[in-house]
């Protein structure tokens, strides 16, 4: 078959596809539905479904296929259990080099980071999604817009709103 | 600008670095700027917990073709929650239910403890402290067996009680090491009063006091800002080698069989607390001793 390379049934192609998309899908689902463990389970299920249906899904449609499947799975789970966005143990801080800061300073920083994480958890779903995809996953507004099929302008507005909400929530330091 | 209600993407252009130099300059002089800059810096320091992509792929491969029974998941997923719940319960238990708190560190472990008034102490390996949490305001006394470093908040007298004597704080940062017959106090900031038997001495910043067994006490001057073990290095200055062995045993949970070796030889040097091979090599090769770490990784035998 001439298009075996473009088929998701080809194991190498599947592996490659998984490795280039799984991580972002996991982040996307987590920001959307609020539970990282659950997001990982959904990623797994969505890719298994892709594999089982590989004959029907060409590689260039695979991305939108897994996103659709995963989002639907997430929604059906969310319908049964209302999950509040969880950040404990999931969102970590990048390791910096050993600091020579005083314990007071480190403490204040820690407090601020807790505040920030709580404020992020309280953001409306769409704002949180855009904010974290942009800041943690370093996705451009265009890439984010493509993930959720909206205009770049809409993403920019959401980002602006997210920052306003965070600023309001955190208050003066 | 930020105050312009019509510009509803201003902040998203800013965080993406799309503002023109004039706009940016104007924003930076705005009183709100520092708050947003802090949010940006904070958010950029965030990261997600690691995703092991190869394991995930393997799981999928082993699960391929088998249809997934989504009903089973809640059962499987109960464990992580139970584990988290249990660990929270234990932590709460430690800090809230026990009034006369006793905290001990295990082999090779360091523990940072915050006292009720915000003072901090860091326990070195195999050390134990206890204090009365409820009466803390009136009685800032900590009983110590082992070694610890203290950063004390201003307030009433702060005393570290050990079998070998008491150290009373007049200032803020110091470390105490109390073992069977070794008593050491080092002051890093402020003033500390040391009392051992009939002897009483005041240490100022950068001074240390030590008494080994019945021999005369000694004092010295140093320049460090905190004890080296905070940074995972054990250091010794003219101490009988048995204390060095003891520290090795406590840091690595090993047993050193010294046989007929004279453990009162004086030793000066350091070893790392996170690499057993380097540590053993450093100590024993400088002493000119052959050694062997037995199969169980727990026993060190010295060959004369």
């Amino acid at each position: 078959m001439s298009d075996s390379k473009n088929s998701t049934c080809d194991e190498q192609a599947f592996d490659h596809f998984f490795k280039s998309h799984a991580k972002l899908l996991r982040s996307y689902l987590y920001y959307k539905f609020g539970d990282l463990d659950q997001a990982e389970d959904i990623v797994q299920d969505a890719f298994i479904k892709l594999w089982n249906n590989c004959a029907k899904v060409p590689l260039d449609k695979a991305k939108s296929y897994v996103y659709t499947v995963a989002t639907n799975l997430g929604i059906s789970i969310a319908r049964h259990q209302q999950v509040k966005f969880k950040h404990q143990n999931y969102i970590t801080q990048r390791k910096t080099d050993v600091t020579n800061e005083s314990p007071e300073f480190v403490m204040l920083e820690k407090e601020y980071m807790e505040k920030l994480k709580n404020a992020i958890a309280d953001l409306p779903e769409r704002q949180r999604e855009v904010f974290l995809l942009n800041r943690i996953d370093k996705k451009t507004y265009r890439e984010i817009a493509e993930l959720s099929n909206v205009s770049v302008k809409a993403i920019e507005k959401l980002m602006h709103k997210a920052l306003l909400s965070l600023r309001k929530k955190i208050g003066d330091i | 600008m930020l105050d312009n209600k019509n510009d509803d993407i201003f902040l998203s252009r800013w965080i993406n670095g799309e503002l023109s130099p004039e706009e940016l300059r104007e924003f930076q002089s705005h009183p709100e700027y520092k708050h947003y800059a802090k949010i940006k810096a904070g958010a950029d320091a965030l990261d997600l917990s690691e995703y092991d992509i190869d394991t995930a792929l393997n799981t999928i491969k082993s699960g391929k073709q088998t249809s997934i029974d989504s009903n089973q998941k809640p059962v499987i997923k109960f464990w992580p929650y139970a584990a988290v719940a249990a660990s929270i319960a234990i932590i709460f238990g430690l800090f809230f239910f026990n009034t006369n708190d006793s905290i001990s560190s295990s082999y090779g472990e360091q523990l940072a403890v915050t006292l009720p008034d915000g003072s901090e102490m860091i326990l070195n390996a195999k050390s134990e402290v206890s204090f009365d949490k409820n009466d803390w305001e009136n009685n800032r006394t900590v009983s110590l067996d082992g070694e610890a470093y203290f950063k004390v908040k201003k307030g009433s007298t702060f005393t570290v009680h050990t079998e070998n004597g008491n150290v009373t704080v007049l200032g803020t940062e110091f470390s105490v090491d109390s073992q069977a017959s070794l008593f050491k106090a080092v002051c890093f900031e402020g003033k500390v009063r040391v009392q051992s038997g009939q002897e009483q001495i005041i240490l100022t910043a950068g001074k240390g006091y030590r008494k080994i067994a019945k021999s005369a006490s000694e004092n010295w001057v140093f320049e460090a800002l905190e004890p080296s073990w905070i940074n995972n290095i054990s250091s010794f200055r003219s101490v009988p080698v048995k204390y060095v062995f003891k520290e090795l045993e406590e840091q690595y949970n090993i047993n050193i069989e010294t046989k007929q070796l004279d453990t009162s030889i004086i030793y000066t040097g350091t070893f790392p607390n996170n690499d057993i091979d380097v540590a053993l090599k450093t100590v024993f090769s400088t002493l000119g001793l052959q050694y062997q770490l037995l199969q169980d990784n727990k026993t060190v035998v010295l060959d004369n």
Side-chain angles (χ1 to χ4, degrees), chain A residues 18-151:
Chain A
F18 179 83
K19 284 184 180 167
S20 47
H21 291 93
K23 195 169 178 211
L24 182 61
L25 178 61
R26 164 186 180 256
S27 304
Y28 175 80
L29 293 168
Y30 168 47
Y31 304 150
K32 209 174 180 62
F33 299 112
D35 186 334
L36 192 60
D37 288 336
Q38 192 190 64
E40 285 175 9
D41 288 349
I42 297 175
V43 170
Q44 188 182 321
D45 293 356
F47 275 91
I48 290 175
K49 207 160 173 193
L50 171 69
W51 180 261
N52 290 342
N53 290 306
C54 67
K56 290 178 234 157
V57 187
L59 201 53
D60 55 339
K61 294 270 188 328
K63 188 179 176 191
S64 67
Y65 179 83
V66 286
Y67 271 85
T68 311
V69 169
T71 309
N72 289 342
L73 275 172
I75 290 170
S76 71
I77 294 173
R79 204 175 286 148
H80 292 107
Q81 45 174 104
Q82 198 56 259
V83 183
K84 192 177 171 342
F85 189 78
K86 298 174 188 164
H87 62 74
Q88 235 77 47
N89 304 328
Y90 291 157
I91 294 194
T92 54
Q93 243 148 291
R94 280 177 226 278
K95 290 275 174 289
T96 47
D97 299 333
V98 187
T99 57
N100 293 320
E101 305 292 358
S102 73
E104 290 90 337
F105 181 84
V106 174
M107 190 72 169
L108 281 176
E109 276 304 283
K110 233 183 174 169
E111 260 174 42
Y112 181 82
M113 292 308 276
E114 263 327 289
K115 245 185 178 173
L116 178 64
K117 286 190 216 169
N118 285 329
I120 290 173
D122 285 343
L123 284 179
E125 176 201 315
R126 293 282 291 141
Q127 293 179 18
R128 181 175 65 227
E129 203 181 299
V130 172
F131 184 78
L132 292 179
L133 281 171
N134 179 247
R135 289 291 113 194
I136 293 187
D137 299 273
K138 308 290 177 215
K139 293 293 147 194
T140 62
Y141 298 152
R142 173 159 301 283
E143 288 168 313
I144 301 170
E146 278 163 12
L147 283 183
S148 39
N149 283 322
V150 294
S151 68

Side-chain angles (χ1 to χ4, degrees), chain B residues 30-271:
Chain B
H30 195 281
E32 284 290 283
Y33 177 77
K34 63 173 195 289
H35 297 291
Y36 286 107
K38 186 134 199 205
I39 290 174
K40 178 170 187 270
D44 286 349
L46 295 177
D47 205 356
L48 275 195
S49 65
E50 205 61 34
Y51 186 36
D52 188 344
I53 204 146
D54 291 315
T55 313
L57 184 58
N58 285 336
T59 323
I60 287 173
K61 288 190 166 166
S62 60
K64 275 193 293 202
Q65 304 298 353
T66 60
S67 74
I68 6 148
D69 186 356
S70 54
N71 291 336
Q72 279 185 1
K73 259 192 242 111
V75 182
I76 299 166
K77 285 187 54 197
F78 172 70
W79 277 108
Y81 298 128
V84 171
S87 57
I88 288 170
I90 292 166
I91 293 165
F92 271 64
L94 269 178
F95 285 96
F96 294 104
F97 298 135
N98 199 346
T99 63
N100 197 355
D101 284 42
S102 171
I103 296 165
S104 54
S105 57
S106 178
Y107 291 101
E109 186 183 48
Q110 279 188 17
L111 275 183
V113 181
T114 307
L115 295 165
D117 63 346
S119 299
E120 292 176 53
M121 58 184 171
I122 302 177
L123 295 188
N124 201 357
K126 213 61 193 143
S127 302
E128 186 176 354
V129 289
S130 62
F131 56 93
D132 187 348
K133 209 181 81 185
N134 287 350
D135 196 32
W136 183 255
E137 272 184 36
N138 304 320
N139 183 13
R140 297 206 298 174
T141 301
V142 172
S143 300
L144 169 76
D145 181 18
E147 184 163 18
Y149 172 56
F150 296 86
K151 287 194 175 187
V152 177
K153 285 262 151 102
K154 285 207 175 74
S156 59
T157 320
F158 186 104
T159 306
V160 178
H161 175 77
T162 76
E163 297 223 320
N164 291 307
N166 293 336
V167 178
T168 306
V169 176
L170 312 168
T172 45
E173 291 179 22
F174 64 106
S175 83
V176 178
D177 186 5
S178 171
Q179 301 180 14
S181 51
L182 178 142
F183 184 44
K184 186 175 99 178
V186 181
C187 178
F188 295 91
E189 195 183 296
K191 272 188 195 169
V192 162
R193 180 169 59 221
V194 181
Q195 190 174 6
S196 177
Q198 296 299 314
E199 202 172 8
Q200 186 163 328
I201 175 169
I202 289 184
L203 298 177
T204 51
K207 297 227 168 66
Y209 165 92
R210 185 174 71 184
K211 186 169 169 64
I212 295 175
K214 298 274 177 283
S215 66
S217 63
E218 43 185 323
N219 296 291
W220 75 94
V221 179
F222 64 94
E223 279 180 355
L225 292 174
E226 56 186 17
S228 64
W229 55 264
I230 299 277
N231 297 317
N232 275 325
I233 296 170
S234 294
S235 67
F236 302 89
R237 204 187 44 82
S238 312
V239 289
V241 78
K242 67 176 173 188
Y243 294 106
V244 181
F245 289 171
K246 185 154 179 286
E247 190 66 28
L248 273 174
E249 290 177 337
E250 288 180 354
Q251 291 293 350
Y252 292 111
N253 192 11
I254 52 173
N255 184 25
I256 299 174
E257 286 179 10
T258 49
K259 290 185 187 161
Q260 62 279 80
L261 181 75
D262 177 11
T263 54
S264 61
I265 315 171
I266 301 300
Y267 179 87
T268 297
T270 62
F271 67 78

